[in-house]
Amino acid sequence: EPPECTAACPLHVDVRTFVGHLARGNWTESLKTLRRTMPLPNILGRICDAPCEERCKRSEVGGAIRIGALERACIHQHAEPQKLFLLPPKGKLVAIIGSGLSSLTVAWDCMRKGYSVKIFEPGKILGESLCERYPDLLPRKVVDEETTLLEKLGMKVEINAPVNDPGFLDRCLKSFEAIYLGLDSLRNGSWQ
């Protein structure tokens, strides 16, 4: 069974290995450990609420390791964009409505697995809800860098998408094999 801290992490980051590399001063290996399981690490590494800390065994003898703070430090130390290796194209299209954290994570994961992705953002800027939600932790520049990487890898984007228009979903169902409705699409009156 995995350690409790790893089991508590929704992404199952190998927390012991991550912290062990940091303890030895090996920032590069720590970042590799995060990137093995963490999508969009330059975003998630900054905003992670660290549920692993609640299950940290170190808390039994004087306080949990501040794993969330260590993730942020590691990401700040090495903030270069991640290199993604994509599986061969499957020839299937996925429509993603919205560009918040869940939508961008779905795009990242689908693209890695060889699916073509198109994001329909009802707003004016990709990832706007992320920057608004975490203004102190997540600079606009970081979100732009991560979404630019996805676009370079082939993600298509439609800004100011007419997601509220009658028939929008029907058109998507005809053109795409799958549709993901991101909760970020619900903000500002979208999807009424």
Side-chain angles (χ1 to χ4, degrees):
E1 290 185 31
E4 288 186 43
C5 51
T6 298
C9 174
L11 302 172
H12 301 293
V13 169
D14 185 348
V15 178
R16 277 202 255 180
T17 301
F18 168 72
V19 172
H21 287 308
L22 283 179
R24 291 184 292 282
N26 195 336
W27 293 86
T28 302
E29 288 303 314
S30 290
L31 185 60
K32 285 181 184 176
T33 302
L34 288 179
R35 287 181 169 175
R36 265 196 282 289
T37 56
M38 184 181 283
L40 307 165
N42 288 339
I43 293 174
L44 282 171
R46 285 175 166 81
I47 64 173
C48 177
D49 59 359
C52 53
E53 290 178 17
E54 294 174 21
R55 304 299 298 266
C56 179
K57 295 302 275 180
R58 178 71 176 82
S59 64
E60 296 172 6
V61 290
I65 296 170
R66 299 286 315 266
I67 300 161
L70 291 174
E71 285 178 349
R72 281 187 286 284
C74 185
I75 294 299
H76 284 293
Q77 185 81 10
H78 297 283
E80 74 275 354
Q82 180 175 7
K83 293 177 183 153
L84 287 181
F85 299 99
L86 309 179
L87 291 176
K90 294 187 180 334
K92 300 200 184 253
L93 305 172
V94 177
I96 299 174
I97 314 303
S99 65
L101 183 58
S102 68
S103 296
L104 292 176
T105 301
V106 168
W108 182 87
D109 200 39
C110 286
M111 291 178 68
R112 286 186 56 227
K113 294 177 180 177
Y115 295 97
S116 297
V117 168
K118 182 170 184 178
I119 286 189
F120 293 92
E121 168 54 46
K124 298 175 185 173
I125 303 170
L126 277 180
E128 186 174 15
S129 62
L130 272 171
C131 294
E132 290 171 357
R133 184 168 181 186
Y134 304 100
D136 297 333
L137 297 174
L138 192 56
R140 174 82 243 165
K141 176 185 175 211
V142 171
V143 175
D144 289 344
E145 287 171 355
E146 292 282 43
T147 56
T148 298
L149 171 65
L150 293 176
E151 288 181 85
K152 284 180 182 175
L153 293 171
M155 178 179 78
K156 305 289 183 221
V157 175
E158 185 175 327
I159 301 295
N160 293 317
V163 298
N164 284 323
D165 286 358
F168 175 78
L169 282 179
D170 290 331
R171 289 191 302 275
C172 285
L173 287 170
K174 290 177 184 170
S175 303
F176 297 89
E177 279 75 26
I179 300 173
Y180 177 80
L181 300 174
L183 293 178
D184 44 75
S185 301
L186 298 174
R187 75 182 198 287
N188 301 330
S190 295
W191 290 99
Q192 296 180 12

